[in-house]
Amino acid sequence: MARTTGVPVIVGNSYSKSQNGTISSKNMALVKFIILIPLLLALFALILHMSERSSDSVPFLAETGLINEKDFMREVDGIPKLEAMLTKKKSLGRKGDAFERSSKRQRPMPVSFENNIHLNLDPTEGERKKLKIAFMVTTSEHPDQIILWMGYHRAIGVSLFYIFAEGVAGLPESIEQLSKEPGVKVIPRDEELTQKQSTSRAWNETWLAGFFNKPCNHELFVKQSLNMEMGIQFAKEDSVDWVLHIDTDELIYPSGSESYSLIEVLQEVPDSVDLLIFPNYESLAEHEHVEDPFLEVTLFKKSYAHVNQKEYFSNYGVIARGNPNYFTTYGNGKSAARVKEGLRPNGAHRWHNYLSVPKEWSSEQAAVLHYTYNKFSDLKSRRDRCDCAPTKQDAEKCFILDFDRIAFLEASLKDDDELMDFFKERLVWNEKDVVLDLIHKGVFGRMYEPQLLIRGVKQALAKKKNTVNE
């Protein structure tokens, strides 16, 4: 029998052809349907992915600036990168413009610690227009820790601090101690502040409304946003160029600058750009007895924005370590904002503008280092927090971030020994081979500069204290 030729047609689990070797119209329709199946599945997956956001808990990015990991990945992939844009400009051979670096300068070092911590600027840099940078923070930390935190940031170029003080930081003796520091404005959370903020425009805006009348972390988020709004007014009065909202468990890491200087990083930003994102790195304890993270912790989990995407996704499960996400807490970084008319907070991490859509870039090297859950006491302090009952329902009401909810429940329902086991299992990285492998892959990194600078600041503050007591 002669063998026929033609294109096989799938019918059920077998192939068939029409008598003349062509595909019948009925079978052709079946082929088309089969071809469409993968496309339909892909579309279904996309719809599911887009619907993953919880509509009843955290409003979307465009409204609040608080976003989950997937949103941040999409956002940061589409934002121009400062260093890449500067390299592109330089490659065009343009001279004499804002992108042209000055001749290489000697690294300025912190000096005169016993008086005020500042940078020893050489004449070349001193003649340039210096940016005025202000930090604002809502804190209940002990004043000694706040002063140490300010000392580090003064050494990299921050000159003003607006401290919204509550708890221990808001005690009269703490306010007195902090107010003696140069460039510091302390705003206690008292009846006067509450009255001023009760008339804020934010109460009538939609971008913060999703957090109103909710307890614990939601209440803190609102307070931080209202404080940032007031900080913007202080910054305008002080003729500040750039502002950041940074917590006292965070340090700016100005990598990529010649002199470990935040001033240098922000001086590189073109005038047309309004916001610069500092992706966050998360500190990792390597033993369970950490007492001073700034001095003891040098290992960090890097942001998606700063690592190879293939390594990020292939190691995601190892790094998450049974926790809900890659980072235990937030993952969308913090941004610096150029002070201009219409500037407003967009949640505690970002900024927006009432008058126009701001132009936003991201840094490929500089970052914000977040020292979180490094001490066992950090985890234990979640116990019975915010007067919330230790139930899943209350945890969801009180806490915004997934791991904060887990930490609250674990701390509230377990005794100290059980909680220590959880701490070591989820938050302590003592497997040296695993750590080294992740460092080699670029998703973990060692940062020693903050530790060394903090050590110098701490020694200088001790010397200053001893001098005063003599």
Side-chain angles (χ1 to χ4, degrees):
M1 181 181 293
R3 188 170 62 180
T4 60
T5 60
V7 180
V9 178
I10 302 172
V11 179
N13 295 321
S14 63
Y15 292 102
S16 71
K17 298 176 232 174
S18 62
Q19 292 181 351
N20 61 4
T22 61
I23 303 173
S24 66
S25 59
K26 180 179 179 181
N27 290 335
M28 179 61 78
L30 182 59
V31 171
K32 290 180 178 178
F33 176 74
I34 292 172
I35 292 173
L36 283 173
I37 287 176
L39 298 176
L40 292 170
L41 288 173
L43 179 61
F44 180 66
L46 178 63
I47 293 171
L48 285 177
H49 177 70
M50 295 301 292
S51 63
E52 281 179 351
R53 301 186 191 100
S54 174
S55 59
D56 59 351
S57 57
V58 181
F60 180 50
L61 161 69
E63 293 297 322
T64 68
L66 185 69
I67 57 180
N68 59 34
E69 287 182 8
K70 295 184 181 68
D71 290 325
F72 178 67
M73 291 176 200
R74 287 194 293 269
E75 179 203 30
V76 79
D77 281 343
I79 290 178
K81 309 302 185 291
L82 174 64
E83 293 81 1
M85 297 299 286
L86 296 176
T87 301
K88 182 178 178 181
K89 286 287 185 181
K90 290 174 187 176
S91 69
L92 296 176
R94 293 177 61 180
K95 297 185 180 296
D97 61 8
F99 297 96
E100 201 59 29
R101 276 189 185 273
S102 61
S103 58
K104 188 172 179 64
R105 301 178 298 277
Q106 288 187 342
R107 181 187 183 93
M109 297 297 291
V111 296
S112 301
F113 279 123
E114 64 276 9
N115 297 315
N116 298 323
I117 298 170
H118 63 276
L119 294 177
N120 183 20
L121 303 173
D122 62 41
T124 303
E125 186 172 4
E127 291 171 359
R128 299 172 66 193
K129 178 184 181 294
K130 276 190 61 180
L131 295 179
K132 187 182 284 190
I133 304 169
F135 276 11
M136 52 190 76
V137 62
T138 302
T139 182
S140 58
E141 272 286 357
H142 190 281
D144 288 347
Q145 184 65 20
I146 298 172
I147 290 170
L148 177 66
W149 171 84
M150 290 193 296
Y152 172 91
H153 288 111
R154 280 200 188 97
I156 64 171
V158 181
S159 53
L160 295 172
F161 298 88
Y162 308 132
I163 300 174
F164 293 86
E166 51 189 61
V168 174
L171 296 174
E173 57 269 28
S174 299
I175 294 173
E176 181 181 3
Q177 183 179 351
L178 292 169
S179 298
K180 292 177 181 178
E181 292 291 310
V184 172
K185 184 189 294 287
V186 183
I187 308 94
R189 178 147 291 280
D190 54 18
E191 187 175 341
E192 181 182 356
L193 178 62
T194 303
Q195 180 60 35
K196 285 182 179 178
Q197 293 185 338
S198 67
T199 60
S200 166
R201 174 176 176 173
W203 296 106
N204 298 317
E205 299 287 337
T206 59
W207 55 271
L208 195 57
F211 297 90
F212 293 157
N213 303 316
K214 293 182 180 179
C216 204
N217 279 16
H218 299 83
E219 181 181 0
L220 173 61
F221 195 78
V222 172
K223 283 195 292 187
Q224 288 176 323
S225 298
L226 294 172
N227 292 344
M228 290 165 70
E229 186 180 55
M230 186 170 286
I232 292 170
Q233 296 306 313
F234 294 150
K236 289 178 180 178
E237 294 168 5
D238 292 333
S239 301
V240 168
D241 298 294
W242 287 88
V243 291
L244 293 92
H245 179 260
I246 301 294
D247 295 330
T248 50
D249 63 352
E250 296 171 330
L251 299 176
I252 289 292
Y253 181 64
S255 179
S257 61
E258 291 183 0
S259 306
Y260 201 75
S261 166
L262 180 57
I263 291 177
E264 288 184 7
V265 173
L266 294 176
Q267 277 178 329
E268 296 282 17
V269 181
D271 292 343
S272 61
V273 177
D274 304 301
L275 310 174
L276 182 68
I277 297 174
F278 293 86
N280 60 290
Y281 293 5
E282 196 169 80
S283 60
L284 301 170
E286 295 178 80
H287 58 81
E288 65 269 31
H289 305 298
V290 172
E291 292 296 331
D292 191 338
F294 284 173
L295 286 179
E296 298 176 55
V297 179
T298 60
L299 181 66
F300 290 86
K301 185 186 303 183
K302 293 184 179 180
S303 169
Y304 165 83
H306 285 183
V307 302
N308 178 278
Q309 291 184 15
K310 180 181 177 181
E311 297 294 354
Y312 176 90
F313 288 112
S314 63
N315 293 282
Y316 193 101
V318 175
I319 296 171
R321 218 176 189 192
N323 298 323
N325 300 302
Y326 177 87
F327 284 120
T328 53
T329 56
Y330 73 88
N332 61 327
K334 295 275 182 94
S335 67
R338 198 185 296 276
V339 180
K340 59 192 303 185
E341 282 304 313
L343 180 66
R344 69 160 174 85
N346 195 27
H349 292 217
R350 299 293 181 83
W351 310 86
H352 210 277
N353 196 293
Y354 284 121
L355 304 179
S356 61
V357 177
K359 186 174 182 179
E360 186 172 51
W361 282 12
S362 179
S363 175
E364 290 182 299
Q365 296 188 64
V368 55
L369 307 181
H370 186 201
Y371 295 79
T372 181
Y373 287 113
N374 294 146
K375 300 184 292 183
F376 178 62
S377 59
D378 292 340
L379 179 61
K380 191 175 176 179
S381 67
R382 297 285 166 176
R383 187 174 290 168
D384 302 322
R385 190 167 181 174
C386 299
D387 296 322
C388 299
T391 64
K392 184 177 180 181
Q393 185 178 11
D394 260 34
E396 291 178 353
K397 289 180 181 178
C398 292
F399 299 94
I400 298 170
L401 301 175
D402 291 334
F403 187 80
D404 285 342
R405 295 169 180 171
I406 293 172
F408 166 70
L409 292 174
E410 294 289 332
S412 300
L413 299 175
K414 291 185 174 180
D415 61 32
D416 285 1
D417 291 338
E418 293 172 324
L419 190 61
M420 176 58 80
D421 290 339
F422 175 83
F423 180 70
K424 290 190 287 188
E425 177 188 345
R426 298 291 190 92
L427 297 167
V428 177
W429 289 82
N430 53 12
E431 307 93 336
K432 293 184 179 180
D433 55 338
V434 175
V435 168
L436 188 60
D437 179 58
L438 293 172
I439 289 175
H440 287 163
K441 290 176 178 177
V443 288
F444 280 8
R446 289 279 180 196
M447 284 79 185
Y448 291 106
E449 298 96 332
Q451 179 196 55
L452 295 173
L453 187 50
I454 283 287
R455 186 180 298 165
V457 173
K458 203 161 191 173
Q459 290 172 350
L461 291 171
K463 182 179 178 181
K464 177 182 177 180
K465 186 175 182 179
N466 291 336
T467 302
V468 171
N469 293 335
E470 287 177 357

